[in-house]
Amino acid sequence: DILLRLNRRDGYGLVVHEALDNGWWALASNCCVRTEQTVLFETGDIADLEEKFIYLLSCGRSPKLQSNFDCFDELKKIYKLFT
C-alpha cells in the first residue's frame, strides 16, 4: 500500500504519519516538513513523482514507523469510532 500526498501546500499532514505508522509507504510532495520516513518528490514535478512511485511499487511493504506522538494510539482509537 502507498499513500500519495500530492499537495502544493500543506501543514504537517497527519495522514502521512498515520500511513507510515500502519506500515504503508508515504509518497508526498516536499511542500512542507514531513515525517523522516516519508519519500518526497519535488512539488509539481510529475517525472520525479512517477520515478519514486515506480520505485516504491518494487519495494514491497514499508517498515512500521515508531510513533513519537504520546497520544497517537488514542487518536487512532478515536478515528476508528468514525470509520
Side-chain angles (χ1 to χ4, degrees):
D1 297 311
I2 301 172
L3 170 79
L4 299 177
R5 185 85 171 173
L6 310 177
N7 301 53
R8 290 189 179 273
R9 286 181 283 239
D10 203 357
Y12 171 69
L14 183 59
V15 69
V16 172
H17 193 96
E18 291 172 330
L20 292 166
D21 191 53
N22 286 291
W24 290 30
W25 288 109
L27 176 56
S29 60
N30 65 352
C31 67
C32 68
V33 175
R34 303 281 188 195
T35 302
E36 186 177 325
Q37 292 85 351
T38 307
V39 177
L40 299 175
F41 70 93
E42 185 68 34
T43 301
D45 186 340
I46 301 296
D48 190 33
L49 168 63
E50 178 183 25
E51 176 185 328
K52 290 177 178 163
F53 183 70
I54 290 170
Y55 170 75
L56 289 178
L57 287 175
S58 70
C59 286
R61 193 137 174 98
S62 171
K64 277 198 166 196
L65 171 68
Q66 296 301 314
S67 176
N68 293 327
F69 293 137
D70 294 335
C71 61
F72 196 71
D73 288 330
E74 293 304 313
L75 285 172
K76 284 174 37 176
K77 289 177 190 174
I78 292 169
Y79 286 144
K80 287 181 180 179
L81 292 173
F82 298 99
T83 58

